[in-house]
Amino acid sequence: MRVATFNVHHCEGRDGAVDVARVADVIRATGAEVVALQELDMGLERTGFTNQPGELAAATGLTVEFHSLLQRGDGRYGIALASKEQRLDSELIHLPQQAREEPRGAVVARRGGITFVGTHLSRSRRARAAQIEALAVLAGRVEPPVVLMGDLNQAASGLGPLLAAGFRGPPRRWWTRPPRSIDHILAGPGLRVASQQILRTKASDHPALAAEIVREE
């Protein structure tokens, strides 16, 4: 199965332009069946009160299940899982929060015999450490096998609890990301990341990351 993760930065590109169609082009280019999306706006003034999850669904043909983490007036901001399935039945799990920082969470859904977890972790080292621990616990409670995807705001060297739980990225020969990459696709026990591709783009301040997930024999 081909999967992907993409922090879309509320569809604002490196050139400062907000362009949902450009982000949709990148999502389609991944060729993924399941995509974890971060930093989506719905009804916020800064992005023209648009419904970005709805517009991306219409442009890509994917089902985009959006979960709000932050509300400002009538607008919302959050994360999503997108899939070729007409319905994904995803659930939002809230992650530990420190003081008054931005709320964080993980979207969990089951598809094709695999549990997918999409997330966006804190920039705060202390909060992020607690969130990584919580993800490792969550991964042990949901139905295996599990794929974890998202903007973890952390290099692979700081993912100790997840690595201890058996999560792994691609083999070294497929390690196409920069050494300090903070976007990850990790496969839990029973699965492996067979290959990985980074899609560099001006559509966001993050690249998109795509990977082929296979079952271990």
Side-chain angles (χ1 to χ4, degrees):
M1 181 181 290
R2 190 164 177 84
V3 301
T5 183
F6 189 21
N7 182 330
V8 303
H9 191 235
H10 54 268
C11 297
E12 180 181 329
R14 295 183 182 276
D15 55 3
V18 175
D19 190 338
V20 176
R22 184 168 57 176
V23 168
D25 287 342
V26 177
I27 293 172
R28 285 196 300 270
T30 68
E33 297 177 51
V34 179
V35 186
L37 299 170
Q38 303 89 47
E39 296 193 15
L40 285 164
D41 279 7
M42 180 185 285
L44 287 173
E45 182 178 7
R46 68 177 178 182
T47 46
F49 302 101
T50 57
N51 178 346
Q52 292 186 342
E55 291 191 10
L56 287 172
T60 62
L62 301 176
T63 297
V64 179
E65 295 210 356
F66 171 78
H67 293 268
S68 174
L69 289 168
L70 189 65
Q71 186 160 353
R72 295 172 179 167
D74 293 331
R76 294 182 290 163
Y77 168 83
I79 59 179
L81 277 179
S83 170
K84 289 185 177 181
E85 295 285 341
Q86 290 187 353
R87 187 171 179 180
L88 200 55
D89 291 326
S90 60
E91 175 186 10
L92 178 68
I93 305 296
H94 290 279
L95 296 176
Q97 183 179 1
Q98 299 287 333
R100 295 173 60 86
E101 69 156 2
E102 179 183 319
R104 304 286 176 167
V107 182
V108 181
R110 187 82 177 167
R111 182 189 185 280
I114 297 173
T115 299
F116 292 92
V117 180
T119 191
H120 184 194
L121 302 188
S122 175
R123 292 184 179 182
S124 161
R125 180 179 296 180
R126 182 179 177 184
R128 190 169 62 246
Q131 291 160 5
I132 291 170
E133 289 275 6
L135 284 174
V137 172
L138 172 63
R141 291 178 176 171
V142 299
E143 185 177 354
V146 181
V147 172
L148 173 65
M149 308 184 288
D151 176 1
L152 306 188
N153 269 314
Q154 176 67 61
S157 59
L159 302 178
L162 290 169
L163 300 178
F167 282 85
R168 296 290 184 270
R172 188 171 296 275
R173 67 179 180 276
W174 285 103
W175 202 266
T176 60
R177 297 175 295 174
R180 292 289 298 176
S181 177
I182 58 176
D183 299 291
H184 299 275
I185 297 174
L186 304 173
L191 301 172
R192 63 182 175 89
V193 181
S195 63
Q196 186 169 263
Q197 177 188 11
I198 186 169
L199 288 82
R200 302 185 186 279
T201 174
K202 295 181 180 179
S204 171
D205 63 348
H206 281 245
L209 193 65
E212 294 287 343
I213 304 295
V214 299
R215 295 186 183 272
E216 292 187 319
E217 297 179 359

